[in-house]
Amino acid sequence: MGFKEGFLWGGATSANQCEGSYDADGKGLSVSDVVTNGSHTRPRRISLNRDSSYVYPSEWGSDCYRRYEEDFDLFAEMGFKAYRFSIDWSRIFPNGDDSEPNELGLAYYERFLMALRSHGIEPVVTLSHSEMPLHLVTEYGGWRNKRVIDFYVRYATTVLERYSDLVTYWLPFNEVNDMLLPMSAFGQGGIYHEGTEFFTEQPDYLNERLNALNNIMVAAARAVKAGRAINPAFHFGTMICHITQYPRTCCPEDQLLVQADDLYRNCMCSDVMLRGEYPYYAWTYFRRHDVELDLSGEERADLKAGTCDFYTFSYYQSICQTAREDEFTDQTSGNIMGGVRNPYLELTDWDWPIDPVGLRYTLNKVYDRYRVPVMITENGLGAVDTVEPDGAIHDTYRIEYLRRHIEEMKKAVDDGVDLIGYTPWGCIDLVSVSTGEMRKRYGFIYVDADDEGRGTFNRSRKDSFYWYKKVIASNGEDLS
Ligand code: BG6
């Protein structure tokens, strides 16, 4: 068995990381516009007042806002069948609580979607990928405030109605479960505590963070409910940052630790969004951690009525956990969270373990749990690329990473998983979310820009571009 006919090969980005033009056409400021650049060792800073002595990478991104036609030509040349991107909420409702949407923003994405369609590429649209209007943070306290549910639903409904003939696949939120970690409280939850300087170092209050997450999931369910009434052919996907976990040893305590953490971190949000209710272990967790969930009867009913119909996830690496902390002290980094070092896996330059087999394991796990179509909406290798004097970029390491992951996807399909698409992350180079750097590149397409936004922003094809083109043309058969 190979990949099914019509498999959605493509790539993925987010508006705040690639569009640039952060104040064009009436756009308001979003949470991402007040986060400075950083590095592997220097955390990104949150500065709500945008101090001009800092560098704000969302100002330029990869300049995709202005160059999307050129980018779509390149995607089409690779043979893309799908493109996952986000609509920037702050372009449509610049303050979030505006009574009318910004027509310039709506018209922009209409042109964008029509151009994408004219290239024969299926849009997969994320409605919120760290682009909450900043005003909702400063005036309402972000997702802690239930009024934000209504603002989001108004935004989502506006967009779902306007593009109802142009889009079929919608993702209400990127990596909704990121909110289970304190470091996502600002970018995802719009939670800001006075005096916080760094992205990674907000004071954390579990009760408020989990209630904000609850509001996000209620908002998602209401958007899905509204969407199904607008166009019954719409598909809605949950989008989970899947942190695949292994016990470091076979000691029973390690199994228990991983079992509990996997349920909480990887399954809880998709259980809510696909099954329509909080699972038993969530309530146990809330009780043990003194979390009081403010969930009304009406909200419970909406969670049930607005469930998603396909499962999507990001997969970059796996981690290990252990109860024997004294024995295993070696740690690795990772997307959103790291863990104990796995001696069987190599690391990327940013210390993320590389685990293609873990992707097959994860695909089987999530398909067995939900029995709905599955799409991998992020995967890829962040690496520094070198441009040769003749302009070539020999990113063999990226080809190797992707090849090994696609091989495992193929095995998972043979295992029986209903895999419908693959959109590797950062198909065109963009700004890294964890470090704010440009030099951590994921793309098949190179963008000539550095960490300070200097460069021509011209696009060029890496070796992986030609390789992926072959992969798509052969529907995943030719990985050489
Ligand atoms: C995912 C996010 O968690 O990881 C993306 O959805 C992000 O927005 C990606 O860019 C890779 O992480 P990073 O830190 O390398 O940009």
Side-chain angles (χ1 to χ4, degrees):
M1 272 176 72
F3 295 103
K4 58 165 68 173
E5 226 186 282
F7 188 82
L8 294 172
W9 296 101
T13 62
S14 75
N16 77 85
Q17 290 168 269
C18 79
E19 281 184 352
S21 304
Y22 80 112
D23 58 357
D25 296 336
K27 179 184 174 304
L29 287 179
S30 82
V31 285
S32 292
D33 296 322
V34 294
V35 182
T36 67
N37 71 354
S39 72
H40 196 24
T41 50
R42 185 169 49 89
R44 304 185 73 181
R45 182 183 287 272
I46 304 172
S47 65
L48 295 192
N49 295 323
R50 288 181 51 87
D51 179 334
S52 60
S53 57
Y54 297 126
V55 171
Y56 298 90
S58 75
E59 286 181 13
W60 53 80
S62 317
D63 199 21
C64 289
Y65 187 78
R66 295 188 300 180
R67 297 180 189 232
Y68 67 86
E69 304 231 19
E70 182 187 347
D71 296 341
F72 294 171
D73 285 344
L74 288 165
F75 295 164
E77 189 182 325
M78 267 189 282
F80 272 25
K81 312 284 181 229
Y83 177 44
R84 172 186 173 226
F85 62 94
S86 65
I87 290 182
D88 190 321
W89 184 354
S90 65
R91 291 196 191 279
I92 308 299
F93 285 94
N95 298 299
D97 61 355
D98 320 69
S99 50
E100 294 300 323
N102 171 28
E103 180 51 35
L104 287 176
L106 282 171
Y108 170 79
Y109 287 113
E110 191 155 28
R111 291 195 298 278
F112 179 99
L113 281 162
M114 281 162 63
L116 193 62
R117 284 265 176 222
S118 74
H119 284 81
I121 301 175
E122 180 78 42
V124 178
V125 180
T126 315
L127 285 170
S128 182
H129 193 137
S130 302
E131 291 118 5
M132 167 184 256
L134 188 63
H135 179 73
L136 296 182
V137 175
T138 52
E139 289 304 308
Y140 297 89
W143 280 106
R144 286 173 290 191
N145 189 330
K146 288 201 183 279
R147 289 188 66 192
V148 172
I149 300 177
D150 299 334
F151 298 137
Y152 172 86
V153 175
R154 181 160 48 172
Y155 152 65
T157 310
T158 304
V159 164
L160 291 162
E161 272 171 358
R162 179 76 172 238
Y163 310 129
S164 83
D165 295 337
L166 292 167
V167 181
T168 301
Y169 295 97
W170 300 94
L171 309 178
F173 286 92
N174 180 58
E175 293 187 343
V176 65
N177 61 323
D178 284 354
M179 279 296 282
L180 297 171
L181 289 164
M183 70 168 288
S184 298
F186 180 72
Q188 174 118 331
I191 296 176
Y192 178 75
H193 291 289
E194 208 51 54
T196 299
E197 275 190 73
F198 296 104
F199 201 53
T200 43
E201 290 170 10
Q202 281 238 66
D204 185 50
Y205 305 99
L206 185 65
N207 193 61
E208 80 171 6
R209 184 158 47 79
L210 292 188
N211 270 290
L213 170 60
N214 178 57
N215 292 339
I216 289 175
M217 292 199 287
V218 169
R222 288 187 179 158
V224 171
K225 225 173 106 178
R228 299 218 185 278
I230 293 165
N231 184 348
F234 281 163
H235 288 294
F236 290 94
T238 180
M239 195 321 191
I240 299 295
C241 175
H242 200 285
I243 310 290
T244 299
Q245 312 198 6
Y246 306 130
R248 176 65 180 82
T249 76
C250 52
C251 103
E253 283 75 12
D254 279 10
Q255 320 305 309
L256 274 179
L257 182 70
V258 165
Q259 184 183 44
D261 203 53
D262 176 57
L263 283 173
Y264 174 65
R265 223 170 280 290
N266 293 321
C267 304
M268 184 173 83
C269 293
S270 41
D271 279 2
V272 174
M273 292 180 73
L274 283 158
R275 294 175 169 169
E277 61 186 18
Y278 280 88
Y280 79 94
Y281 58 83
W283 296 110
T284 310
Y285 184 95
F286 299 154
R287 174 169 51 79
R288 289 184 180 151
H289 293 82
D290 294 327
V291 171
E292 278 187 38
L293 209 64
D294 182 2
L295 176 67
S296 70
E298 191 188 349
E299 290 175 348
R300 272 178 206 260
D302 284 336
L303 288 180
K304 204 67 189 172
T307 51
C308 292
D309 53 78
F310 69 111
Y311 179 97
T312 88
F313 68 112
S314 59
Y315 178 87
Y316 292 89
Q317 95 287 325
S318 60
I319 59 164
C320 286
Q321 303 239 52
T322 184
R324 305 160 82 95
E325 283 167 3
D326 299 346
E327 253 175 85
F328 302 99
T329 50
D330 214 4
Q331 297 277 323
T332 56
S333 190
N335 185 28
I336 312 292
M337 83 181 263
V340 174
R341 173 94 204 245
N342 183 334
Y344 301 101
L345 302 178
E346 292 159 30
L347 302 177
T348 71
D349 292 344
W350 272 262
D351 280 339
W352 295 16
I354 301 176
D355 183 11
V357 176
L359 179 57
R360 177 181 180 187
Y361 166 79
T362 308
L363 283 165
N364 275 282
K365 182 197 128 182
V366 300
Y367 186 59
D368 177 47
R369 192 172 184 90
Y370 299 115
R371 293 299 171 93
V372 292
V374 179
M375 195 186 287
I376 302 163
T377 39
E378 286 186 32
N379 171 240
L381 178 72
V384 175
D385 293 327
T386 308
V387 184
E388 303 295 336
D390 64 356
I393 299 151
H394 302 305
D395 57 341
T396 44
Y397 34 89
R398 183 167 297 110
I399 294 174
E400 188 55 17
Y401 177 100
L402 295 168
R403 173 190 295 124
R404 289 171 61 202
H405 282 79
I406 296 174
E407 276 166 4
E408 297 301 323
M409 283 160 45
K410 221 166 154 180
K411 291 180 194 163
V413 168
D414 192 55
D415 292 337
V417 174
D418 183 11
L419 184 62
I420 60 169
Y422 179 59
T423 56
W425 179 247
C427 48
I428 178 163
D429 290 345
L430 40 64
V431 175
S432 155
V433 82
S434 55
T435 64
E437 295 166 303
M438 195 68 198
R439 61 192 286 276
K440 187 184 188 192
R441 296 171 185 273
Y442 286 87
F444 303 110
I445 300 165
Y446 184 88
V447 176
D448 174 37
D450 69 10
D451 292 344
E452 267 72 43
R454 290 174 302 224
T456 62
F457 288 85
N458 287 342
R459 278 63 170 136
S460 48
R461 297 164 184 80
K462 303 183 194 177
D463 285 359
S464 57
F465 179 101
Y466 301 104
W467 174 81
Y468 195 44
K469 181 177 173 173
K470 253 187 344 180
V471 172
I472 298 177
S474 64
N475 201 24
E477 287 305 312
D478 185 356
L479 301 178
S480 61

